[in-house]
Amino acid sequence: MTSQKRYLTYFAVLFIINSVLFTIVKYAGIDAETIALIPGSENIFFISAFAVISSLVQTVIFVMLLHFWVYILCGKGGVMQTVKAFVYANTPMLLFGWIPVIGFIFTIWSAVLNVLGIRELHKMSTGEAAGAFVAAIIITVGLFIFLIGALVIPLIGKATVTQTPDSGYSDIFRTSSLRSSSLF
């Protein structure tokens, strides 16, 4: 098995395990009304598959942006060096990042390992590697916010507010539990 196949297989196994565990933890912490709003939510396998696919797309975009910034900042390794650094650096996050309350510690640990891996494999300074990593994060988050906005803003335009005789003003975002718990 070539080294490329070895670390991509390693990442795929960790990635799937993480996605399934993260989905189970999130699924267990969401109330039934919220779950019912998710298409296909009655099937945890659908939710797990969706988590794997969406996370994989996000990962590919992030690694491409990370390598772009490494290249701009004169990194000396190729794209597979960036992939290798990312794959191995994210091991703590993939193994333990799904744990509630303390998962963020492993995400921070993985971020530090990403910077160190980029620095070593691309023969860059720590500052350049950190700059490339932070730039990739900022752009990925910006793209995510843009996409969410592009999906949510049209839905907001369709929201209507109506007045009902018994409850005054109500909107589409109220649930039956909120209507039944009146202060007056």
Side-chain angles (χ1 to χ4, degrees), residues 66-76 114-116 118-120 122-136:
L66 178 59
H67 185 71
F68 171 78
W69 284 105
V70 165
Y71 180 78
I72 293 295
L73 295 172
C74 300
K76 295 180 178 38
N114 265 291
V115 171
L116 296 176
I118 293 295
R119 179 189 74 188
E120 293 301 316
H122 287 283
K123 304 198 181 354
M124 302 172 77
S125 72
T126 304
E128 290 170 333
F133 187 73
V134 169

Side-chain angles (χ1 to χ4, degrees), residues 109-182:
W109 182 12
S110 288
V112 170
L113 292 176
N114 265 291
V115 171
L116 296 176
I118 293 295
R119 179 189 74 188
E120 293 301 316
L121 294 176
H122 287 283
K123 304 198 181 354
M124 302 172 77
S125 72
T126 304
E128 290 170 333
F133 187 73
V134 169
I137 288 173
I138 290 170
I139 292 172
T140 303
V141 168
L143 285 172
F144 179 74
I145 290 170
F146 174 76
L147 289 174
I148 293 297
L151 294 172
V152 171
I153 290 173
L155 294 176
I156 291 172
K158 293 180 182 179
T160 59
V161 177
T162 59
Q163 184 176 10
T164 59
D166 60 335
S167 64
Y169 287 97
S170 64
D171 59 274
I172 63 169
F173 300 110
R174 288 200 182 172
T175 63
S176 59
S177 63
L178 289 176
R179 283 190 209 119
S180 63
S181 62
S182 175

Side-chain angles (χ1 to χ4, degrees), residues 1-2 10 14 38 45 47-48 50 53 60 82 86 88 102 105 113 126-127 138 142 148 154 165 172-173 177:
M1 181 181 280
T2 66
Y10 171 83
L14 287 179
I38 304 169
F45 296 109
I47 298 293
S48 294
F50 180 77
I53 292 167
V60 169
T82 304
F86 181 82
Y88 291 128
I102 63 167
I105 294 169
L113 292 176
T126 304
I138 290 170
I148 293 297
I172 63 169
F173 300 110
S177 63

Side-chain angles (χ1 to χ4, degrees), residues 44-93:
I44 194 164
F45 296 109
F46 172 80
I47 298 293
S48 294
F50 180 77
V52 168
I53 292 167
S54 63
S55 296
L56 186 60
V57 169
Q58 181 183 354
T59 299
V60 169
I61 291 169
F62 180 79
V63 170
M64 289 184 332
L65 287 169
L66 178 59
H67 185 71
F68 171 78
W69 284 105
V70 165
Y71 180 78
I72 293 295
L73 295 172
C74 300
K76 295 180 178 38
V79 70
M80 292 314 288
Q81 294 297 83
T82 304
V83 171
K84 187 187 304 184
F86 181 82
V87 165
Y88 291 128
N90 282 299
T91 298
M93 182 185 69

